[in-house]
Amino acid sequence: MAVATVAALLAALGGALWLATRRFVGASVQRLHGGGHAGLMQGKTVLITGANSGLGRATAAELLRMGARVIMGCRDRARAEEAAGELRRDLRPDGGPDTGGVGELVIRELDLASLCSVRAFCQEMLQEEPRLDVLINNAGIFQCPYMKTEDGFEMQFGVNHLGHFLLTNLLLGLLKSSAPSRIVVVSSKLYKYGDINFEDLNSEQSYNKSFCYSRSKLANILFTRELARRLEGTQVTVNALHPGIVRTNLGRHIHIPLWVRPLFNLVSWAFFKTPEEGAQTSIYLASSPEVEGVSGKYFGDCKEEELLPKAMDESVARKLWDVSEVMVGILK
């Protein structure tokens, strides 16, 4: 019993030391790439999809501190209003008025599971926004049961890829007129387990929720690379990233047995990134002078990373682009 107790204490101590080290390193990354740049984004307008929680909210908070005008594109207005109120309170020291340099926060309704909503959103943006300096395609759905979007697309492919594909294309003119401007695409390391099956993009023949999530994230990267090729010479850049494993509500569709939850919560607290840590690469790609002019790349922890060959297949990327144009109604 004494040996087991000592072993448990040593394991706990080791875990605590590891966690402290990771927190210190994470804080260092944040200081180097995220925080401490007040005014860096002054005068710039940033659109973030899914900005009411998780990575999107953490990204919005930091860019607001940098002085950006942040537009939250969110499906649920009530939740977005609640999140915006909390963000404004967080940025208002001691309950006083907003301090100089803190950016403006705007809410607009956007449901990426509805092409009609995406078109209405973009029409409003083009009518009311004179410029768009950064578009961050952040929103996503993760390993949900089989369901379809309003337009009949498999939900993960429809939201994670097609919704953002249409959104980006409809806003390209505004991004070009605001150049130099940036597009940031939040993907995932799980792209490695996905494939683009052009015979069953809608997963009607078979559906595996994990594989379909990976397929949508692979599509994000192929889209990024093909868009970068098409944007050469425009001063609009586009890059993809993976945020790592982050404690957010993205995994709400994953069932965890009740008896496992305490252990899972402990493991996630110790080993998963906080939303603030996970958001650092999005913030970096949206704001850092270090990546000015860099396009078509894939980043993790604020550094460029290599891709598997299937994520760099130009013929697949071009075909996916062409098929996506037809699916969202850009081409008939």
Side-chain angles (χ1 to χ4, degrees):
M1 181 65 71
V3 173
T5 302
V6 170
L9 288 172
L10 288 173
L13 178 60
L17 288 172
W18 183 91
L19 179 61
T21 301
R22 192 177 72 83
R23 293 296 186 214
F24 175 78
V25 172
S28 298
V29 170
Q30 184 167 352
R31 285 194 298 271
L32 284 171
H33 299 296
H37 298 291
L40 180 62
M41 298 294 286
Q42 198 77 40
K44 296 185 182 296
T45 296
V46 180
L47 166 59
I48 308 174
T49 65
N52 60 286
S53 64
L55 290 174
R57 176 173 164 168
T59 303
E62 188 57 39
L63 293 176
L64 282 166
R65 291 187 183 96
M66 294 182 184
R69 181 173 187 271
V70 174
I71 300 172
M72 303 171 67
C74 301
R75 179 177 57 84
D76 189 322
R77 175 170 279 276
R79 289 178 60 195
E81 293 281 5
E82 181 181 358
E86 292 171 355
L87 282 170
R88 291 184 181 111
R89 286 192 293 274
D90 290 344
L91 296 170
R92 190 179 301 137
D94 304 320
D98 288 345
T99 57
V102 173
E104 178 188 2
L105 191 58
V106 179
I107 296 170
R108 296 195 191 280
E109 289 186 45
L110 170 63
D111 183 357
L112 290 159
S114 164
L115 298 183
C116 181
S117 174
V118 174
R119 288 193 172 90
F121 173 89
C122 291
Q123 184 176 9
E124 184 180 13
M125 283 284 295
L126 295 175
Q127 288 174 346
E128 300 186 11
E129 298 295 334
R131 64 181 302 110
L132 179 60
D133 300 277
V134 183
L135 167 61
I136 303 179
N137 290 337
N138 166 83
I141 189 165
F142 177 71
Q143 295 192 10
C144 62
Y146 186 77
M147 58 182 77
K148 291 185 176 181
T149 68
E150 177 180 287
D151 305 280
F153 305 127
E154 186 276 312
M155 186 64 72
Q156 295 187 88
F157 190 75
V159 170
N160 298 352
H161 171 60
L162 292 175
H164 281 120
F165 178 87
L166 179 60
L167 176 78
T168 305
N169 273 280
L170 293 179
L171 295 177
L172 273 183
L174 186 56
L175 285 157
K176 289 177 180 177
S177 67
S178 307
S181 53
R182 305 181 184 190
I183 302 167
V184 178
V185 178
V186 179
S187 183
S188 167
K189 277 188 174 181
L190 294 177
Y191 86 86
K192 298 175 181 180
Y193 306 103
D195 285 302
I196 304 298
N197 178 7
F198 288 107
E199 302 303 316
D200 191 26
L201 281 179
N202 218 29
S203 302
E204 292 175 333
Q205 298 174 21
S206 64
Y207 180 72
N208 177 288
K209 62 184 182 180
S210 299
F211 169 80
C212 287
Y213 177 76
S214 296
R215 170 190 285 170
S216 73
K217 295 290 104 178
L218 175 59
N220 287 159
I221 298 172
L222 291 167
F223 163 69
T224 296
R225 291 179 57 81
E226 175 62 13
L227 180 57
R229 186 185 69 81
R230 292 170 179 252
L231 289 174
E232 288 178 3
T234 65
Q235 289 192 289
V236 182
T237 61
V238 54
N239 292 289
L241 69 103
H242 74 83
I245 305 176
V246 187
R247 293 198 306 275
T248 71
N249 63 356
L250 189 65
R252 60 189 176 276
H253 292 292
I254 297 177
H255 175 69
I256 300 174
L258 190 63
W259 63 273
V260 177
R261 289 180 190 175
L263 178 60
F264 176 81
N265 291 336
L266 178 62
V267 169
S268 66
W269 178 82
F271 295 98
F272 292 9
K273 291 181 179 180
T274 65
E276 290 71 25
E277 290 169 338
Q280 292 309 306
T281 307
S282 293
I283 296 164
Y284 175 70
L285 291 176
S287 64
S288 176
E290 294 178 9
V291 288
E292 184 175 349
V294 175
S295 193
K297 305 301 182 182
Y298 173 71
F299 286 79
D301 291 328
C302 303
K303 299 185 296 292
E304 186 180 338
E305 296 189 359
E306 292 186 2
L307 287 164
L308 294 181
K310 66 180 174 182
M312 298 187 290
D313 190 319
E314 293 183 2
S315 63
V316 172
R318 293 183 187 188
K319 184 174 180 179
L320 178 62
W321 184 285
D322 293 341
V323 170
S324 298
E325 282 187 322
V326 175
M327 292 179 80
V328 302
I330 293 177
L331 293 180
K332 302 297 184 185

